Amino acid sequence: MPSLALNKVPRSKQILFSLALVIIVSGLCYAFSSLIDYKIVAFLLLLTVSFLAVVFDIVPVLLAAVLSALIWNFFFIEPKYTFMIHSVQDTVLLSMYFLVATINGILTYRMRRIEKQAMEKEEKAKTIRLYNTLFNTLSHELKTPIAAIIAATDNLKENAENLTEENKKELVSEISVASLRLNQQVSNLLNMSRLESGNMVLKKDWCDINELVYSVVNRLEENLRHRHVHISIEKNIPFYKLDYVLVEQVLYNLLYNASVYTPEYSDIFITAKNNSDKTYILKPSGKEKSELTTEINSLMMQVEDRGSGFPEEELEKVFDRFYRLQNARTGGTGLGLSIAKGFVEAHEGKIILENVPHGARFTIEIPAEVSYLNNLKNE
């Protein structure tokens, strides 16, 4: 809120600004005093004091009210250039002006303080609600995989002699799945903490999109084993200068979301292509046999599934922190899509969600410097 920001200005500067503004407005009114009635001048000065009351503390406002009353009396009320007033009407007007200016300043200041307290109270209540949501969710999301790991390891330790090799493989698989789930939840919390801190620094380097996509798919092999994943990456797609870890996490969260909310043996489509809306081109000098040509393009990636899609009224909310769909399955912290959006926007990109026939589609667009390896002949 602007008023709150200005209120952080040191009081000495607030006083100087308030008095200066009153003097400037008075000077302008005096320059046109032959055209402006002195009662209009009082109205303009009163507006000035009211404005100061909105943005500054009470002391500068009261000083401005006193100064404006004195200036109005000295320069605009007959007889001018004296503090004496011959007219009873003008005496009443001056008294009322000073009273109204002072009361207006005090009331406006108090209203602003009440508004600030209400905002702080609302923010505190919101923080408590988010904390309760996070606590309640994590109590389930963290406890469930931990319990699964403990139960499986106990079985392996205590019943090792009675378990078949197939039983052991199943228990090890359960431990692996639970560990990955636990790791995902912890990663989401750490990533959200990075976003909330506002101090995220991108570590950009040249990224191979083919490597990135297949790396994420391999990481999610267990989750995707009952899905048909179709990968389509544009031939000769360039290298992009991105934060590999963050973009990988974006794709991971989207694919994980698709694996959880789609029917078994349904299709998931991953596409990546280059949008060559060129901004500039840089070519290294020299006659090397191979050289890099760099330019600014956009990386376009899409994750499309064949699930039930999203309710139209909730499309705008799915990227909010801790938001979960009304009819969503139990579990999940509601952080995955929020983190994906934050990491994309950290690259000055955008992410769009839309429903398509028989499913949903996430589209990511990230502007980035790209490189093509050109084989050049010696000249």
PDB file of all heavy atoms in Angstrom, residues 6-28:
ATOM      1  N   LEU A   6       5.188   5.219   2.270  1.00  0.00           N
ATOM      2  CA  LEU A   6       5.613   6.583   2.547  1.00  0.00           C
ATOM      3  C   LEU A   6       5.737   6.827   4.044  1.00  0.00           C
ATOM      4  O   LEU A   6       6.527   7.645   4.492  1.00  0.00           O
ATOM      5  CB  LEU A   6       4.618   7.575   1.927  1.00  0.00           C
ATOM      6  CG  LEU A   6       4.643   7.671   0.398  1.00  0.00           C
ATOM      7  CD1 LEU A   6       3.490   8.524  -0.088  1.00  0.00           C
ATOM      8  CD2 LEU A   6       5.959   8.262  -0.081  1.00  0.00           C
ATOM      9  N   ASN A   7       4.933   6.091   4.807  1.00  0.00           N
ATOM     10  CA  ASN A   7       4.964   6.266   6.250  1.00  0.00           C
ATOM     11  C   ASN A   7       6.290   5.821   6.848  1.00  0.00           C
ATOM     12  O   ASN A   7       6.601   6.164   7.989  1.00  0.00           O
ATOM     13  CB  ASN A   7       3.811   5.473   6.874  1.00  0.00           C
ATOM     14  CG  ASN A   7       3.562   5.861   8.315  1.00  0.00           C
ATOM     15  OD1 ASN A   7       3.645   7.031   8.655  1.00  0.00           O
ATOM     16  ND2 ASN A   7       3.281   4.878   9.150  1.00  0.00           N
ATOM     17  N   LYS A   8       7.093   5.046   6.100  1.00  0.00           N
ATOM     18  CA  LYS A   8       8.387   4.598   6.589  1.00  0.00           C
ATOM     19  C   LYS A   8       9.465   5.665   6.414  1.00  0.00           C
ATOM     20  O   LYS A   8      10.581   5.496   6.887  1.00  0.00           O
ATOM     21  CB  LYS A   8       8.792   3.318   5.845  1.00  0.00           C
ATOM     22  CG  LYS A   8       7.859   2.138   6.122  1.00  0.00           C
ATOM     23  CD  LYS A   8       8.282   0.914   5.341  1.00  0.00           C
ATOM     24  CE  LYS A   8       7.331  -0.259   5.595  1.00  0.00           C
ATOM     25  NZ  LYS A   8       7.708  -1.451   4.811  1.00  0.00           N
ATOM     26  N   VAL A   9       9.128   6.784   5.749  1.00  0.00           N
ATOM     27  CA  VAL A   9      10.076   7.889   5.590  1.00  0.00           C
ATOM     28  C   VAL A   9      10.343   8.502   6.960  1.00  0.00           C
ATOM     29  O   VAL A   9       9.410   8.644   7.771  1.00  0.00           O
ATOM     30  CB  VAL A   9       9.492   8.952   4.628  1.00  0.00           C
ATOM     31  CG1 VAL A   9      10.415  10.148   4.519  1.00  0.00           C
ATOM     32  CG2 VAL A   9       9.244   8.333   3.258  1.00  0.00           C
ATOM     33  N   PRO A  10      11.594   8.845   7.284  1.00  0.00           N
ATOM     34  CA  PRO A  10      11.894   9.460   8.584  1.00  0.00           C
ATOM     35  C   PRO A  10      11.006  10.661   8.862  1.00  0.00           C
ATOM     36  O   PRO A  10      10.655  11.419   7.953  1.00  0.00           O
ATOM     37  CB  PRO A  10      13.370   9.863   8.440  1.00  0.00           C
ATOM     38  CG  PRO A  10      13.921   8.930   7.421  1.00  0.00           C
ATOM     39  CD  PRO A  10      12.799   8.662   6.465  1.00  0.00           C
ATOM     40  N   ARG A  11      10.652  10.841  10.129  1.00  0.00           N
ATOM     41  CA  ARG A  11       9.704  11.910  10.484  1.00  0.00           C
ATOM     42  C   ARG A  11      10.216  13.286  10.101  1.00  0.00           C
ATOM     43  O   ARG A  11       9.442  14.160   9.696  1.00  0.00           O
ATOM     44  CB  ARG A  11       9.410  11.848  11.986  1.00  0.00           C
ATOM     45  CG  ARG A  11       8.456  12.941  12.452  1.00  0.00           C
ATOM     46  CD  ARG A  11       7.954  12.705  13.843  1.00  0.00           C
ATOM     47  NE  ARG A  11       7.041  11.574  13.897  1.00  0.00           N
ATOM     48  CZ  ARG A  11       6.416  11.180  15.007  1.00  0.00           C
ATOM     49  NH1 ARG A  11       6.631  11.830  16.142  1.00  0.00           N
ATOM     50  NH2 ARG A  11       5.606  10.158  14.991  1.00  0.00           N
ATOM     51  N   SER A  12      11.530  13.515  10.238  1.00  0.00           N
ATOM     52  CA  SER A  12      12.081  14.835   9.883  1.00  0.00           C
ATOM     53  C   SER A  12      11.829  15.162   8.411  1.00  0.00           C
ATOM     54  O   SER A  12      11.458  16.282   8.068  1.00  0.00           O
ATOM     55  CB  SER A  12      13.586  14.867  10.173  1.00  0.00           C
ATOM     56  OG  SER A  12      14.258  13.839   9.443  1.00  0.00           O
ATOM     57  N   LYS A  13      11.973  14.154   7.545  1.00  0.00           N
ATOM     58  CA  LYS A  13      11.713  14.370   6.122  1.00  0.00           C
ATOM     59  C   LYS A  13      10.224  14.536   5.858  1.00  0.00           C
ATOM     60  O   LYS A  13       9.820  15.293   4.968  1.00  0.00           O
ATOM     61  CB  LYS A  13      12.273  13.204   5.306  1.00  0.00           C
ATOM     62  CG  LYS A  13      13.791  13.137   5.294  1.00  0.00           C
ATOM     63  CD  LYS A  13      14.303  12.057   4.361  1.00  0.00           C
ATOM     64  CE  LYS A  13      15.821  12.037   4.320  1.00  0.00           C
ATOM     65  NZ  LYS A  13      16.347  10.992   3.408  1.00  0.00           N
ATOM     66  N   GLN A  14       9.389  13.829   6.635  1.00  0.00           N
ATOM     67  CA  GLN A  14       7.951  13.997   6.500  1.00  0.00           C
ATOM     68  C   GLN A  14       7.548  15.429   6.821  1.00  0.00           C
ATOM     69  O   GLN A  14       6.724  16.038   6.126  1.00  0.00           O
ATOM     70  CB  GLN A  14       7.212  13.034   7.429  1.00  0.00           C
ATOM     71  CG  GLN A  14       7.333  11.569   7.048  1.00  0.00           C
ATOM     72  CD  GLN A  14       6.475  10.682   7.931  1.00  0.00           C
ATOM     73  OE1 GLN A  14       5.462  11.123   8.469  1.00  0.00           O
ATOM     74  NE2 GLN A  14       6.875   9.430   8.089  1.00  0.00           N
ATOM     75  N   ILE A  15       8.133  15.969   7.888  1.00  0.00           N
ATOM     76  CA  ILE A  15       7.819  17.355   8.283  1.00  0.00           C
ATOM     77  C   ILE A  15       8.246  18.327   7.205  1.00  0.00           C
ATOM     78  O   ILE A  15       7.492  19.232   6.817  1.00  0.00           O
ATOM     79  CB  ILE A  15       8.502  17.685   9.628  1.00  0.00           C
ATOM     80  CG1 ILE A  15       7.886  16.847  10.752  1.00  0.00           C
ATOM     81  CG2 ILE A  15       8.390  19.170   9.935  1.00  0.00           C
ATOM     82  CD1 ILE A  15       8.588  16.976  12.090  1.00  0.00           C
ATOM     83  N   LEU A  16       9.477  18.162   6.704  1.00  0.00           N
ATOM     84  CA  LEU A  16       9.973  19.068   5.657  1.00  0.00           C
ATOM     85  C   LEU A  16       9.100  19.000   4.412  1.00  0.00           C
ATOM     86  O   LEU A  16       8.747  20.028   3.825  1.00  0.00           O
ATOM     87  CB  LEU A  16      11.420  18.705   5.308  1.00  0.00           C
ATOM     88  CG  LEU A  16      12.478  19.037   6.369  1.00  0.00           C
ATOM     89  CD1 LEU A  16      13.850  18.521   5.941  1.00  0.00           C
ATOM     90  CD2 LEU A  16      12.541  20.558   6.600  1.00  0.00           C
ATOM     91  N   PHE A  17       8.731  17.792   4.003  1.00  0.00           N
ATOM     92  CA  PHE A  17       7.897  17.634   2.817  1.00  0.00           C
ATOM     93  C   PHE A  17       6.515  18.250   3.035  1.00  0.00           C
ATOM     94  O   PHE A  17       5.983  18.922   2.145  1.00  0.00           O
ATOM     95  CB  PHE A  17       7.756  16.146   2.477  1.00  0.00           C
ATOM     96  CG  PHE A  17       6.938  15.889   1.243  1.00  0.00           C
ATOM     97  CD1 PHE A  17       7.523  15.912  -0.017  1.00  0.00           C
ATOM     98  CD2 PHE A  17       5.573  15.650   1.331  1.00  0.00           C
ATOM     99  CE1 PHE A  17       6.765  15.682  -1.153  1.00  0.00           C
ATOM    100  CE2 PHE A  17       4.804  15.422   0.204  1.00  0.00           C
ATOM    101  CZ  PHE A  17       5.399  15.434  -1.049  1.00  0.00           C
ATOM    102  N   SER A  18       5.938  18.049   4.212  1.00  0.00           N
ATOM    103  CA  SER A  18       4.599  18.570   4.494  1.00  0.00           C
ATOM    104  C   SER A  18       4.586  20.087   4.458  1.00  0.00           C
ATOM    105  O   SER A  18       3.716  20.704   3.819  1.00  0.00           O
ATOM    106  CB  SER A  18       4.123  18.083   5.869  1.00  0.00           C
ATOM    107  OG  SER A  18       4.083  16.680   5.915  1.00  0.00           O
ATOM    108  N   LEU A  19       5.559  20.697   5.145  1.00  0.00           N
ATOM    109  CA  LEU A  19       5.617  22.160   5.162  1.00  0.00           C
ATOM    110  C   LEU A  19       5.899  22.716   3.771  1.00  0.00           C
ATOM    111  O   LEU A  19       5.314  23.736   3.364  1.00  0.00           O
ATOM    112  CB  LEU A  19       6.699  22.620   6.155  1.00  0.00           C
ATOM    113  CG  LEU A  19       6.490  22.197   7.617  1.00  0.00           C
ATOM    114  CD1 LEU A  19       7.594  22.753   8.492  1.00  0.00           C
ATOM    115  CD2 LEU A  19       5.125  22.650   8.125  1.00  0.00           C
ATOM    116  N   ALA A  20       6.787  22.030   3.033  1.00  0.00           N
ATOM    117  CA  ALA A  20       7.110  22.494   1.678  1.00  0.00           C
ATOM    118  C   ALA A  20       5.890  22.419   0.774  1.00  0.00           C
ATOM    119  O   ALA A  20       5.633  23.336  -0.028  1.00  0.00           O
ATOM    120  CB  ALA A  20       8.247  21.659   1.108  1.00  0.00           C
ATOM    121  N   LEU A  21       5.102  21.333   0.889  1.00  0.00           N
ATOM    122  CA  LEU A  21       3.922  21.191   0.039  1.00  0.00           C
ATOM    123  C   LEU A  21       2.889  22.265   0.348  1.00  0.00           C
ATOM    124  O   LEU A  21       2.285  22.840  -0.568  1.00  0.00           O
ATOM    125  CB  LEU A  21       3.309  19.796   0.237  1.00  0.00           C
ATOM    126  CG  LEU A  21       2.128  19.460  -0.681  1.00  0.00           C
ATOM    127  CD1 LEU A  21       2.556  19.505  -2.148  1.00  0.00           C
ATOM    128  CD2 LEU A  21       1.556  18.084  -0.346  1.00  0.00           C
ATOM    129  N   VAL A  22       2.699  22.573   1.629  1.00  0.00           N
ATOM    130  CA  VAL A  22       1.759  23.636   2.010  1.00  0.00           C
ATOM    131  C   VAL A  22       2.219  24.973   1.448  1.00  0.00           C
ATOM    132  O   VAL A  22       1.410  25.762   0.920  1.00  0.00           O
ATOM    133  CB  VAL A  22       1.619  23.703   3.544  1.00  0.00           C
ATOM    134  CG1 VAL A  22       0.857  24.962   3.965  1.00  0.00           C
ATOM    135  CG2 VAL A  22       0.906  22.472   4.068  1.00  0.00           C
ATOM    136  N   ILE A  23       3.519  25.250   1.531  1.00  0.00           N
ATOM    137  CA  ILE A  23       4.060  26.516   1.013  1.00  0.00           C
ATOM    138  C   ILE A  23       3.904  26.593  -0.503  1.00  0.00           C
ATOM    139  O   ILE A  23       3.543  27.642  -1.058  1.00  0.00           O
ATOM    140  CB  ILE A  23       5.547  26.660   1.419  1.00  0.00           C
ATOM    141  CG1 ILE A  23       5.651  26.852   2.941  1.00  0.00           C
ATOM    142  CG2 ILE A  23       6.199  27.823   0.688  1.00  0.00           C
ATOM    143  CD1 ILE A  23       7.068  26.808   3.467  1.00  0.00           C
ATOM    144  N   ILE A  24       4.153  25.484  -1.208  1.00  0.00           N
ATOM    145  CA  ILE A  24       4.023  25.479  -2.672  1.00  0.00           C
ATOM    146  C   ILE A  24       2.581  25.731  -3.094  1.00  0.00           C
ATOM    147  O   ILE A  24       2.309  26.562  -3.976  1.00  0.00           O
ATOM    148  CB  ILE A  24       4.536  24.147  -3.241  1.00  0.00           C
ATOM    149  CG1 ILE A  24       6.049  24.043  -3.086  1.00  0.00           C
ATOM    150  CG2 ILE A  24       4.152  24.008  -4.722  1.00  0.00           C
ATOM    151  CD1 ILE A  24       6.610  22.675  -3.432  1.00  0.00           C
ATOM    152  N   VAL A  25       1.638  25.022  -2.452  1.00  0.00           N
ATOM    153  CA  VAL A  25       0.219  25.209  -2.793  1.00  0.00           C
ATOM    154  C   VAL A  25      -0.218  26.632  -2.470  1.00  0.00           C
ATOM    155  O   VAL A  25      -0.925  27.276  -3.261  1.00  0.00           O
ATOM    156  CB  VAL A  25      -0.655  24.180  -2.035  1.00  0.00           C
ATOM    157  CG1 VAL A  25      -2.136  24.492  -2.237  1.00  0.00           C
ATOM    158  CG2 VAL A  25      -0.340  22.779  -2.495  1.00  0.00           C
ATOM    159  N   SER A  26       0.248  27.156  -1.330  1.00  0.00           N
ATOM    160  CA  SER A  26      -0.093  28.533  -0.955  1.00  0.00           C
ATOM    161  C   SER A  26       0.481  29.528  -1.950  1.00  0.00           C
ATOM    162  O   SER A  26      -0.185  30.515  -2.324  1.00  0.00           O
ATOM    163  CB  SER A  26       0.433  28.835   0.451  1.00  0.00           C
ATOM    164  OG  SER A  26      -0.093  27.942   1.397  1.00  0.00           O
ATOM    165  N   GLY A  27       1.729  29.280  -2.392  1.00  0.00           N
ATOM    166  CA  GLY A  27       2.358  30.175  -3.368  1.00  0.00           C
ATOM    167  C   GLY A  27       1.602  30.211  -4.690  1.00  0.00           C
ATOM    168  O   GLY A  27       1.411  31.279  -5.284  1.00  0.00           O
ATOM    169  N   LEU A  28       1.160  29.040  -5.148  1.00  0.00           N
ATOM    170  CA  LEU A  28       0.380  28.985  -6.386  1.00  0.00           C
ATOM    171  C   LEU A  28      -0.951  29.720  -6.230  1.00  0.00           C
ATOM    172  O   LEU A  28      -1.381  30.456  -7.141  1.00  0.00           O
ATOM    173  CB  LEU A  28       0.140  27.530  -6.784  1.00  0.00           C
ATOM    174  CG  LEU A  28       1.379  26.740  -7.226  1.00  0.00           C
ATOM    175  CD1 LEU A  28       1.030  25.264  -7.439  1.00  0.00           C
ATOM    176  CD2 LEU A  28       1.949  27.325  -8.526  1.00  0.00           C
TER     177      LEU A  28
END
